Amino acid sequence: MAQIAQLFPFLLLSIFLSLPLLRHVAADGSLSRHCLENPPTLNSSYGAGSVKQIGGLKAYVSGHYHSKRAILLVSDVYGYEAPHLRKIADKVARSGFYAVVPDFFFGDPYVANTSRTIPVWLKIHGTDKGFEDAKPVIAALKQKGIHAIGAAGFCWGGNVVTKIAKTNLIKAAVLLHPSWVTVDDIKAVKVPIAILAAELDNGTPAKQLEEFKSVLSQDKVKNFIKIYPNVKHGWTVRYNDTDATAVKAANEAHKDLLHWSTKYVKKR
Protein backbone atom coordinates (compact mmCIF):
# COMPACT_ATOMS: atom_id res chain seq x y z
CA MET A 1 0.00 0.00 0.00
CA ALA A 2 2.88 2.33 0.82
CA GLN A 3 4.40 1.73 -2.61
CA ILE A 4 1.08 2.60 -4.29
CA ALA A 5 0.85 5.78 -2.25
CA GLN A 6 4.36 6.74 -3.34
CA LEU A 7 3.53 6.10 -6.99
CA PHE A 8 0.23 7.98 -6.94
CA PRO A 9 1.71 11.48 -7.50
CA PHE A 10 3.69 10.20 -10.47
CA LEU A 11 0.60 8.59 -11.98
CA LEU A 12 -1.24 11.88 -11.67
CA LEU A 13 1.67 13.73 -13.27
CA SER A 14 1.72 11.26 -16.17
CA ILE A 15 -1.97 11.81 -16.86
CA PHE A 16 -1.50 15.56 -16.54
CA LEU A 17 1.34 15.66 -19.05
CA SER A 18 -0.56 13.51 -21.53
CA LEU A 19 -3.19 16.23 -21.88
CA PRO A 20 -1.33 19.28 -23.25
CA LEU A 21 -4.43 21.31 -23.92
CA LEU A 22 -5.83 20.80 -20.44
CA ARG A 23 -2.40 21.42 -18.93
CA HIS A 24 -2.32 24.78 -20.64
CA VAL A 25 -5.76 25.62 -19.33
CA ALA A 26 -4.74 24.90 -15.77
CA ALA A 27 -1.29 26.46 -16.00
CA ASP A 28 -2.09 29.91 -17.29
CA GLY A 29 -5.70 30.28 -16.22
CA SER A 30 -6.82 31.10 -19.75
CA LEU A 31 -10.14 29.38 -19.19
CA SER A 32 -10.77 31.01 -15.86
CA ARG A 33 -12.79 34.13 -15.17
CA HIS A 34 -13.43 36.05 -18.41
CA CYS A 35 -13.15 33.17 -20.87
CA LEU A 36 -16.55 31.69 -20.09
CA GLU A 37 -18.35 34.85 -19.03
CA ASN A 38 -21.61 36.04 -20.57
CA PRO A 39 -22.55 32.84 -22.41
CA PRO A 40 -24.88 33.43 -25.37
CA THR A 41 -28.46 32.31 -25.65
CA LEU A 42 -28.18 30.01 -28.63
CA ASN A 43 -30.66 30.45 -31.46
CA SER A 44 -30.70 27.97 -34.34
CA SER A 45 -32.83 30.25 -36.53
CA TYR A 46 -30.95 33.50 -35.99
CA GLY A 47 -29.36 35.37 -38.91
CA ALA A 48 -29.95 36.29 -42.53
CA GLY A 49 -28.32 33.10 -43.78
CA SER A 50 -29.20 29.42 -43.57
CA VAL A 51 -27.79 26.10 -42.37
CA LYS A 52 -26.29 23.71 -44.91
CA GLN A 53 -24.09 20.63 -44.96
CA ILE A 54 -20.52 21.45 -46.00
CA GLY A 55 -17.68 18.97 -45.81
CA GLY A 56 -19.64 16.66 -43.52
CA LEU A 57 -20.55 19.36 -41.01
CA LYS A 58 -23.61 21.49 -40.53
CA ALA A 59 -22.69 25.12 -41.12
CA TYR A 60 -24.42 28.47 -40.90
CA VAL A 61 -23.72 30.15 -44.24
CA SER A 62 -24.38 33.70 -45.33
CA GLY A 63 -23.75 35.46 -48.61
CA HIS A 64 -23.65 34.45 -52.27
CA TYR A 65 -22.42 30.92 -52.84
CA HIS A 66 -21.11 32.00 -56.24
CA SER A 67 -18.64 34.35 -54.58
CA LYS A 68 -15.04 33.42 -55.31
CA ARG A 69 -13.97 34.39 -51.79
CA ALA A 70 -14.96 32.80 -48.50
CA ILE A 71 -14.22 33.32 -44.82
CA LEU A 72 -14.35 30.36 -42.44
CA LEU A 73 -15.47 31.57 -39.00
CA VAL A 74 -14.50 29.24 -36.15
CA SER A 75 -16.51 29.71 -32.98
CA ASP A 76 -15.62 29.80 -29.33
CA VAL A 77 -16.75 26.92 -27.10
CA TYR A 78 -20.37 28.05 -27.27
CA GLY A 79 -20.67 27.06 -30.90
CA TYR A 80 -22.15 28.12 -34.20
CA GLU A 81 -25.66 29.04 -33.02
CA ALA A 82 -24.47 32.07 -31.03
CA PRO A 83 -26.39 35.11 -32.38
CA HIS A 84 -23.45 37.53 -32.17
CA LEU A 85 -21.26 35.13 -34.15
CA ARG A 86 -23.92 34.80 -36.84
CA LYS A 87 -24.26 38.57 -36.88
CA ILE A 88 -20.52 38.79 -37.61
CA ALA A 89 -20.96 36.22 -40.39
CA ASP A 90 -23.68 38.38 -41.92
CA LYS A 91 -21.33 41.39 -41.79
CA VAL A 92 -18.66 39.35 -43.55
CA ALA A 93 -21.19 38.31 -46.19
CA ARG A 94 -22.24 41.91 -46.83
CA SER A 95 -18.60 42.65 -47.63
CA GLY A 96 -18.74 40.23 -50.56
CA PHE A 97 -17.51 37.02 -48.93
CA TYR A 98 -19.26 33.70 -48.57
CA ALA A 99 -19.29 33.33 -44.77
CA VAL A 100 -19.19 29.82 -43.35
CA VAL A 101 -19.63 29.00 -39.63
CA PRO A 102 -19.32 25.21 -39.16
CA ASP A 103 -20.70 23.29 -36.21
CA PHE A 104 -17.40 21.85 -35.07
CA PHE A 105 -19.06 20.44 -31.94
CA PHE A 106 -21.68 18.33 -33.75
CA GLY A 107 -24.56 19.69 -31.74
CA ASP A 108 -22.67 19.54 -28.45
CA PRO A 109 -21.40 23.06 -27.59
CA TYR A 110 -20.21 23.80 -24.10
CA VAL A 111 -23.08 24.62 -21.74
CA ALA A 112 -22.26 26.86 -18.80
CA ASN A 113 -23.44 26.16 -15.26
CA THR A 114 -23.78 22.41 -15.69
CA SER A 115 -22.03 19.50 -14.03
CA ARG A 116 -19.78 18.97 -17.06
CA THR A 117 -16.66 21.07 -16.61
CA ILE A 118 -14.75 22.68 -19.43
CA PRO A 119 -11.76 20.28 -19.09
CA VAL A 120 -14.13 17.33 -19.48
CA TRP A 121 -15.78 18.95 -22.51
CA LEU A 122 -12.38 19.67 -24.07
CA LYS A 123 -11.44 15.99 -23.94
CA ILE A 124 -14.11 15.45 -26.60
CA HIS A 125 -13.81 18.75 -28.44
CA GLY A 126 -10.10 19.48 -28.64
CA THR A 127 -8.64 21.94 -31.11
CA ASP A 128 -6.65 19.21 -32.90
CA LYS A 129 -9.96 17.60 -33.83
CA GLY A 130 -11.31 21.00 -34.85
CA PHE A 131 -8.37 21.42 -37.21
CA GLU A 132 -8.94 18.01 -38.78
CA ASP A 133 -12.66 18.69 -39.19
CA ALA A 134 -11.90 22.02 -40.88
CA LYS A 135 -9.96 20.36 -43.70
CA PRO A 136 -12.93 18.73 -45.48
CA VAL A 137 -14.94 21.95 -45.09
CA ILE A 138 -12.21 23.91 -46.85
CA ALA A 139 -11.87 21.18 -49.48
CA ALA A 140 -15.64 21.28 -50.16
CA LEU A 141 -15.52 25.05 -50.65
CA LYS A 142 -12.64 24.73 -53.10
CA GLN A 143 -14.46 22.00 -55.01
CA LYS A 144 -17.27 24.50 -55.55
CA GLY A 145 -14.86 27.01 -57.08
CA ILE A 146 -14.08 29.14 -54.01
CA HIS A 147 -10.30 29.23 -54.09
CA ALA A 148 -9.60 32.36 -52.05
CA ILE A 149 -10.38 31.36 -48.47
CA GLY A 150 -9.54 33.08 -45.21
CA ALA A 151 -10.26 32.03 -41.63
CA ALA A 152 -11.09 33.87 -38.43
CA GLY A 153 -11.23 32.19 -35.04
CA PHE A 154 -12.60 33.26 -31.67
CA CYS A 155 -11.07 31.96 -28.41
CA TRP A 156 -11.15 28.14 -28.97
CA GLY A 157 -11.47 28.88 -32.67
CA GLY A 158 -8.37 31.08 -32.56
CA ASN A 159 -6.31 28.02 -31.74
CA VAL A 160 -7.92 26.06 -34.59
CA VAL A 161 -7.27 28.88 -37.06
CA THR A 162 -3.64 29.08 -35.93
CA LYS A 163 -3.26 25.42 -36.88
CA ILE A 164 -4.85 26.09 -40.28
CA ALA A 165 -2.51 29.07 -40.76
CA LYS A 166 0.46 26.70 -40.55
CA THR A 167 -0.70 25.15 -43.85
CA ASN A 168 -1.36 26.43 -47.34
CA LEU A 169 -5.10 25.82 -47.07
CA ILE A 170 -6.01 29.49 -46.59
CA LYS A 171 -4.84 32.91 -47.79
CA ALA A 172 -4.97 34.76 -44.47
CA ALA A 173 -5.97 34.37 -40.83
CA VAL A 174 -7.47 36.48 -38.06
CA LEU A 175 -7.26 35.46 -34.41
CA LEU A 176 -9.69 37.17 -32.05
CA HIS A 177 -8.69 36.79 -28.38
CA PRO A 178 -7.21 33.34 -29.12
CA SER A 179 -6.63 30.64 -26.52
CA TRP A 180 -3.58 28.38 -26.07
CA VAL A 181 -1.49 29.88 -28.90
CA THR A 182 2.24 29.61 -28.24
CA VAL A 183 5.34 31.21 -29.73
CA ASP A 184 6.16 27.89 -31.38
CA ASP A 185 2.73 27.95 -33.04
CA ILE A 186 3.37 31.44 -34.38
CA LYS A 187 6.79 30.42 -35.71
CA ALA A 188 5.03 27.93 -38.00
CA VAL A 189 2.48 30.37 -39.45
CA LYS A 190 2.69 30.66 -43.25
CA VAL A 191 0.02 33.21 -44.16
CA PRO A 192 -0.68 36.88 -43.32
CA ILE A 193 -2.12 36.95 -39.83
CA ALA A 194 -3.91 39.51 -37.68
CA ILE A 195 -4.22 39.06 -33.92
CA LEU A 196 -6.92 41.12 -32.22
CA ALA A 197 -6.41 40.93 -28.48
CA ALA A 198 -8.01 42.21 -25.29
CA GLU A 199 -6.10 44.32 -22.80
CA LEU A 200 -7.69 42.35 -19.94
CA ASP A 201 -6.80 38.84 -21.08
CA ASN A 202 -4.55 36.61 -19.01
CA GLY A 203 -4.63 33.95 -21.75
CA THR A 204 -2.76 36.06 -24.31
CA PRO A 205 -1.02 38.84 -22.37
CA ALA A 206 0.77 41.84 -23.89
CA LYS A 207 4.24 40.36 -23.34
CA GLN A 208 3.31 37.28 -25.33
CA LEU A 209 1.88 39.43 -28.11
CA GLU A 210 5.21 41.26 -28.31
CA GLU A 211 6.92 37.91 -28.78
CA PHE A 212 4.43 37.00 -31.51
CA LYS A 213 5.17 40.29 -33.29
CA SER A 214 8.92 39.72 -33.10
CA VAL A 215 8.69 36.18 -34.46
CA LEU A 216 6.37 37.12 -37.33
CA SER A 217 8.54 40.09 -38.30
CA GLN A 218 11.71 37.99 -38.25
CA ASP A 219 10.04 35.39 -40.45
CA LYS A 220 8.74 38.16 -42.74
CA VAL A 221 5.12 37.11 -42.32
CA LYS A 222 2.71 39.98 -42.86
CA ASN A 223 1.04 40.70 -39.56
CA PHE A 224 -1.18 43.08 -37.63
CA ILE A 225 -1.39 42.90 -33.85
CA LYS A 226 -3.72 45.16 -31.93
CA ILE A 227 -4.64 45.36 -28.26
CA TYR A 228 -8.07 46.83 -27.58
CA PRO A 229 -8.15 48.80 -24.31
CA ASN A 230 -10.51 48.11 -21.42
CA VAL A 231 -12.02 44.95 -22.88
CA LYS A 232 -11.92 41.34 -21.69
CA HIS A 233 -11.26 38.02 -23.37
CA GLY A 234 -14.23 37.12 -25.57
CA TRP A 235 -15.40 40.68 -26.09
CA THR A 236 -15.79 40.50 -29.88
CA VAL A 237 -18.45 37.79 -29.78
CA ARG A 238 -19.86 37.87 -26.25
CA TYR A 239 -20.35 41.56 -25.63
CA ASN A 240 -23.39 42.87 -23.79
CA ASP A 241 -25.78 44.63 -26.20
CA THR A 242 -26.70 47.18 -23.52
CA ASP A 243 -23.07 48.18 -22.96
CA ALA A 244 -22.33 50.92 -25.51
CA THR A 245 -18.59 50.82 -24.85
CA ALA A 246 -18.43 47.07 -25.36
CA VAL A 247 -20.51 47.24 -28.54
CA LYS A 248 -18.27 49.98 -29.95
CA ALA A 249 -15.12 47.98 -29.20
CA ALA A 250 -16.60 44.82 -30.74
CA ASN A 251 -17.63 46.68 -33.90
CA GLU A 252 -14.13 48.12 -34.19
CA ALA A 253 -12.67 44.62 -34.06
CA HIS A 254 -15.16 43.38 -36.65
CA LYS A 255 -14.07 46.20 -38.98
CA ASP A 256 -10.42 45.23 -38.48
CA LEU A 257 -11.28 41.61 -39.26
CA LEU A 258 -12.97 42.68 -42.48
CA HIS A 259 -10.14 45.03 -43.45
CA TRP A 260 -7.52 42.31 -43.07
CA SER A 261 -9.61 39.73 -44.88
CA THR A 262 -10.42 42.07 -47.74
CA LYS A 263 -6.75 42.95 -48.12
CA TYR A 264 -5.35 39.43 -48.22
CA VAL A 265 -8.13 37.06 -49.24
CA LYS A 266 -8.10 37.95 -52.91
CA LYS A 267 -9.70 36.41 -55.96
CA ARG A 268 -7.48 34.48 -58.32
Side-chain angles (χ1 to χ4, degrees):
M1 184 68 75
Q3 288 179 330
I4 293 175
Q6 290 176 346
L7 288 172
F8 187 69
F10 296 98
L11 291 172
L12 286 178
L13 179 62
S14 177
I15 294 170
F16 188 65
L17 293 175
S18 71
L19 298 170
L21 179 58
L22 301 185
R23 182 177 74 248
H24 197 93
V25 172
D28 68 5
S30 61
L31 277 185
S32 65
R33 299 181 62 209
H34 305 322
C35 192
L36 300 176
E37 282 185 358
N38 198 27
T41 299
L42 303 183
N43 185 341
S44 61
S45 61
Y46 188 89
S50 60
V51 174
K52 295 184 178 181
Q53 285 279 341
I54 300 179
L57 275 70
K58 285 184 178 180
Y60 174 78
V61 298
S62 188
H64 295 291
Y65 197 65
H66 295 297
S67 173
K68 298 300 180 183
R69 301 188 300 168
I71 300 296
L72 183 72
L73 296 165
V74 187
S75 75
D76 63 10
V77 299
Y78 293 113
Y80 87 127
E81 292 182 349
H84 284 166
L85 179 58
R86 291 191 173 189
K87 188 180 293 186
I88 294 169
D90 291 343
K91 286 184 182 181
V92 169
R94 289 195 295 271
S95 294
F97 294 98
Y98 188 61
V100 180
V101 191
D103 177 15
F104 285 106
F105 309 138
F106 297 88
D108 183 37
Y110 180 68
V111 179
N113 303 317
T114 63
S115 59
R116 184 167 61 162
T117 64
I118 192 71
V120 170
W121 183 87
L122 284 167
K123 289 180 182 179
I124 302 170
H125 301 294
T127 55
D128 285 342
K129 184 177 186 303
F131 169 57
E132 293 301 324
D133 289 336
K135 291 178 183 179
V137 175
I138 294 171
L141 292 173
K142 290 183 176 181
Q143 287 172 3
K144 294 295 185 181
I146 302 176
H147 296 292
I149 300 173
F154 305 79
C155 309
W156 181 93
N159 185 279
V160 173
V161 170
T162 302
K163 297 179 190 302
I164 300 172
K166 298 177 186 180
T167 73
N168 295 314
L169 294 173
I170 58 174
K171 298 290 187 182
V174 181
L175 313 182
L176 300 98
H177 37 84
S179 295
W180 319 300
V181 176
T182 67
V183 171
D184 286 341
D185 289 325
I186 295 299
K187 286 179 180 178
V189 167
K190 295 183 178 181
V191 301
I193 186 168
I195 304 174
L196 312 183
E199 179 185 18
L200 309 175
D201 189 349
N202 60 357
T204 311
K207 183 178 180 180
Q208 188 176 37
L209 292 167
E210 291 173 5
E211 294 175 343
F212 290 174
K213 180 73 175 179
S214 176
V215 166
L216 291 166
S217 298
Q218 288 175 12
D219 292 344
K220 297 182 180 179
V221 175
K222 294 183 176 68
N223 64 87
F224 174 72
I225 297 178
K226 181 174 178 178
I227 300 176
Y228 297 75
N230 303 315
V231 294
K232 300 180 290 187
H233 179 95
W235 95 97
T236 68
V237 73
R238 278 187 271 120
Y239 56 89
N240 190 329
D241 286 311
T242 63
D243 185 338
T245 300
V247 171
K248 181 179 179 181
N251 285 333
E252 181 181 346
H254 302 163
K255 288 178 182 178
D256 289 335
L257 183 165
L258 286 168
H259 176 76
W260 190 259
S261 299
T262 300
K263 186 174 182 179
Y264 289 107
V265 184
K266 298 179 180 179
K267 299 177 185 178
R268 286 185 175 180

